Amino acid sequence: MAAAVQNAPGLHDCRDAFAKTLEALAEADGRIVAVVNDSVGSSKLGGFKKRWPERLVNVGIAEQNMVGVGAGLANGGKVPFVSGAACFLTGRALEQIKADVAYSNTNVKLAGISSGVAYGELGPTHHSIEDLAWLRLLPNLTIVVPSDPWETAEAVKAAVAHEGPVFLRLSRMPVPELKRPEGARFQFGKAEVLRAGTDAAIIANGVMVTRALVAAEALAEAGIAARVINLSSIAPIDREVILAAAETGAIVTIEEHSIRGGLGGAVAEIVSTTRPAAMRILGFPGFAPTGSAEFLLEHFGLTSEGIVRAVHEVIAMRDGR
Amino acid sequence: MLEKISQTSDERIAAIREKARIIRRRAIQMVFDAKQGHPGGDMSVTDILATLYFGVLRYDPAQPDDPARDRFVLSKGHCTGALYATLAEAGFIPLDELATYMRPLSMLNGHPNRNYVPGVETNTGPLGHGMPVAVGMAIAGQIDGSDRRVFVVTGDGEQQEGSNWEAGMIAGHRHLAQLTLIIDRNHLQQGARTDETNDLEPLADKWRAFGWHVVDVDGHDHAALLDVLGAPVGDRVKPLCVIAHTHKGNGISYMVDQVQWHHGVPNQEQYELAMEELA
């Protein structure tokens, strides 16, 4: 993405909130360690390393080993944050995540950095738009896709407080801090209704939440009241909020992920078997062509305009027009 | 574990040998009853397990989660016949539980599950998983300045999995002296000899090149195993790789070095012969 966007006022790289929160927690809790695959810089763990060099385990470029080492550290009473580029962490070490972390049910926290198409021009090898589909299948594993710095920080705190495996899908795309009601609380398994509306529901997470809110604003001007839901917690999932959204009869999901098996798939599994509604699933249909992250999101219609179009389509589908 | 202190060396070795005999019998019984299992590998690894559990490891079966315990990981997770029989003999699981081996809803799955079986540290089964986890255990000890030791057993065919070498490289780099890798070197993998499949040699040189101290030992000689595995870490700064030279199916005449016993199941006649030989 362009540096100008990255540095735009009011926008944040959620990795900063991740690193800052982890350091604050690690100061009080000696069990917290970090495990990286030569990814100190990309995980923004330089500060952590400087403060606690003995608690930062860099295994080198070896993801299978990185995840296994995380499980071994948890066995020794540590709370390891295994942090690396989401594409390699989840793809390369999938069986370790399955056997050593999820099936063994170990207290390992996986931080998938720069998920989605954040690596833009580096191409599909470096995109991580399959991770939710892969990991959503694994029992015991909590999966969270934070939308902004506040939620990233809260998810890190919740991960430490939770005894068991967690996957945090973190982005490096610049996002604004969302406006939330006073006293808002983050909880695994709880979705957030950020805007009320009964004509349709837009369900998003991660960097897409802001776009969903912009879309809802545009729809309101056209007389359509769209509910906006931040479904940051993919597992466990908030069935109640999803089924309430299905009452609108028109749902659009949007995610920085494949259209198969991610947030949209998770919502469709619940809606189609319990309270069917018209749906559109927005995401990536396949390997992405060359382009910056911003370009790719535009190219595939993962924008507020794309959401507005999709909401009109699902309403038409629902109404049989 | 305390009883061994009052024993002479010969008595200890005789006691370990007797444990190994009991474990072999129980493992064969389990495989025969379940009509499935991996008896060849069970017989290959039994003397290593008996030496570790009854001569080397510090543990308390009443407190399987004691933070100070030594850690053991059976990376060749298919050899649960020997592992469960050992854990039962060591007091982690009731003896009569062994009769449920691989039965519906038994806690004794074909591959070990730490969430059901006390004494199991991590779930293994897919090969090449034990080493990275054991390395993590040893790093945790290193961070804590603990003297607890970590032992991991892999098969020799299992050494073909690349994750072992990822883990071995960082273990050498970090001087994880508390970590011991034992390779059950029986020269047979599931389908053929290791040297016909993907030759491991020169195996000792490979581990030396990765920064490990390597020792060869007869993997069925309890005294030799005890010497190597029971020796204090002392001034050694490198992790220890013990290449335990073993025979698949050891202890049962018709199984020895026969590849088909990787997951063969004895018939009635073979079962009776095995029990006779292990009497």
Side-chain angles (χ1 to χ4, degrees):
Chain A
M1 72 221 71
V5 176
Q6 184 89 1
N7 298 329
L11 295 182
H12 309 275
D13 177 339
C14 288
R15 293 177 300 169
D16 292 319
F18 164 70
K20 191 177 152 201
T21 310
L22 193 61
E23 283 188 47
L25 293 169
E27 196 164 272
D29 187 344
R31 300 173 307 154
I32 294 174
V33 297
V35 190
V36 296
N37 55 340
D38 192 19
S39 50
V40 175
S42 56
S43 300
K44 299 230 177 193
L45 290 171
F48 188 105
K49 183 183 174 185
K50 201 167 168 187
R51 294 174 73 178
W52 304 287
E54 72 290 350
R55 285 160 64 184
L56 185 126
V57 180
N58 190 346
V59 300
I61 306 163
E63 291 74 27
Q64 298 181 61
N65 187 46
M66 172 170 69
V67 173
V69 163
L73 285 162
N75 174 284
K78 307 298 177 195
V79 180
F81 274 74
V82 177
S83 308
C87 54
F88 310 129
L89 171 64
T90 62
R92 193 63 166 266
L94 184 56
E95 194 185 71
Q96 277 73 19
I97 296 176
K98 173 187 168 185
D100 310 347
V101 176
Y103 179 45
S104 290
N105 202 12
T106 43
N107 197 24
V108 174
K109 318 304 171 186
L110 305 162
I113 307 289
S114 306
S115 57
V117 296
Y119 279 126
E121 300 88 336
L122 300 187
T125 54
H126 284 57
H127 297 161
S128 195
I129 59 171
E130 305 86 4
D131 48 16
L132 293 178
W134 289 340
L135 300 187
R136 210 160 65 71
L137 301 176
L138 301 177
N140 299 333
L141 183 63
T142 294
I143 302 175
V144 181
V145 188
S147 56
D148 71 350
W150 176 83
E151 195 169 35
T152 302
E154 292 301 306
V156 172
K157 291 181 210 164
V160 172
H162 172 76
E163 176 78 24
V166 177
F167 174 65
L168 301 177
R169 187 184 197 248
L170 303 176
S171 179
R172 69 198 288 160
M173 301 271 285
V175 288
E177 189 92 58
L178 296 175
K179 288 187 188 68
R180 287 191 170 81
E182 195 71 29
R185 280 178 65 228
F186 173 83
Q187 220 181 323
F188 291 150
K190 291 282 178 219
E192 244 183 334
V193 179
L194 293 172
R195 184 184 173 115
T198 52
D199 295 331
I202 306 166
I203 306 179
N205 63 17
V207 302
M208 294 300 171
V209 175
T210 302
R211 290 161 199 251
L213 287 166
V214 172
E217 194 63 47
L219 286 161
E221 284 169 23
I224 296 169
R227 189 177 308 175
V228 176
I229 294 163
N230 171 20
L231 192 70
S232 53
S233 184
I234 290 288
I237 198 161
D238 194 334
R239 287 179 62 88
E240 202 179 323
V241 164
I242 292 169
L243 290 174
E247 292 298 324
T248 67
I251 295 176
V252 171
T253 66
I254 180 161
E255 60 201 297
E256 195 191 358
H257 185 272
S258 168
I259 53 174
R260 288 177 287 276
L263 176 153
V267 170
E269 285 165 12
I270 292 169
V271 170
S272 66
T273 54
T274 313
R275 198 308 183 188
M279 271 190 79
R280 277 275 185 275
I281 295 174
L282 305 183
F284 295 97
F287 293 130
T290 305
S292 69
E294 283 297 337
F295 169 83
L296 293 174
L297 296 180
E298 291 278 338
H299 184 73
F300 289 105
L302 304 178
T303 57
S304 52
E305 295 82 3
I307 296 169
V308 168
R309 273 197 305 276
V311 168
H312 283 299
E313 286 168 14
V314 284
I315 286 175
M317 199 194 306
R318 177 195 65 194
D319 298 344
R321 285 187 272 122
Chain B
M1 289 307 292
L2 289 175
E3 64 187 281
K4 79 182 183 193
I5 293 167
S6 61
Q7 292 174 318
T8 66
S9 176
D10 284 352
E11 283 169 345
R12 283 179 67 196
I13 290 158
I16 292 168
R17 184 177 301 117
E18 175 59 8
K19 294 289 189 191
R21 188 186 68 82
I22 292 168
I23 292 163
R24 278 197 169 85
R25 282 180 67 89
R26 294 212 174 109
I28 291 298
Q29 186 71 51
M30 289 159 67
V31 170
F32 179 70
D33 290 344
K35 295 286 174 258
Q36 55 183 330
H38 292 83
D42 286 338
M43 299 302 105
S44 180
V45 79
T46 291
D47 298 305
I48 296 164
L49 293 177
T51 306
L52 284 171
Y53 276 86
F54 305 103
V56 179
L57 293 173
R58 294 179 306 181
Y59 60 85
D60 176 357
Q63 295 178 70
D65 295 328
D66 178 0
R69 71 193 184 277
D70 289 337
R71 305 302 202 268
F72 173 73
V73 175
L74 184 67
S75 192
K76 43 177 280 181
H78 52 285
C79 292
T80 39
L83 179 67
Y84 296 151
T86 302
L87 290 176
E89 196 58 25
F92 285 99
I93 52 180
L95 259 184
D96 54 13
E97 196 70 32
L98 298 181
T100 72
Y101 184 47
M102 288 202 254
R103 296 283 161 87
L105 305 181
S106 169
M107 71 177 191
L108 303 181
N109 189 60
H111 296 95
N113 185 335
R114 78 174 196 102
N115 296 298
Y116 298 136
V117 187
V120 172
E121 300 282 358
T122 185
N123 299 6
T124 52
L127 297 176
H129 280 249
M131 267 287 281
V133 177
V135 166
M137 292 170 174
I139 294 173
Q142 191 178 52
I143 291 171
D144 292 345
S146 163
D147 69 347
R148 61 182 185 257
R149 295 183 67 183
V150 180
F151 296 85
V152 53
V153 172
T154 75
D156 53 357
E158 184 180 1
Q159 294 278 306
Q160 292 157 359
E161 288 281 7
S163 49
N164 290 304
W165 301 95
E166 289 186 6
M169 194 187 293
I170 195 70
H173 173 78
R174 292 185 67 107
H175 303 292
L176 297 178
Q178 303 298 120
L179 175 65
T180 297
L181 160 65
I182 304 163
I183 302 172
D184 185 358
R185 184 76 171 111
N186 59 33
H187 294 269
L188 289 173
Q189 51 196 103
Q190 177 174 275
R193 289 182 56 82
T194 52
D195 58 5
E196 293 166 353
T197 309
N198 184 358
D199 198 1
L200 303 168
E201 296 299 339
L203 189 55
D205 288 347
K206 286 175 179 156
W207 282 104
R208 281 191 193 102
F210 274 62
W212 288 59
H213 181 65
V214 182
V215 176
D216 284 88
V217 67
D218 178 343
H220 300 304
D221 180 335
H222 304 105
L225 282 167
L226 191 59
D227 264 357
V228 171
L229 300 174
V233 174
D235 295 335
R236 176 167 56 77
V237 294
K238 295 178 178 181
L240 176 64
C241 170
V242 176
I243 301 179
H245 295 274
T246 55
H247 297 278
K248 211 154 188 163
N250 190 72
I252 301 169
S253 55
Y254 58 86
M255 279 193 195
V256 175
D257 295 334
Q258 299 300 309
V259 73
Q260 68 270 28
W261 287 103
H262 177 82
H263 44 38
V265 175
N267 60 26
Q268 182 69 35
E269 192 185 343
Q270 288 165 329
Y271 161 74
E272 283 167 14
L273 181 56
M275 286 311 202
E276 199 179 299
E277 291 181 1
L278 296 171

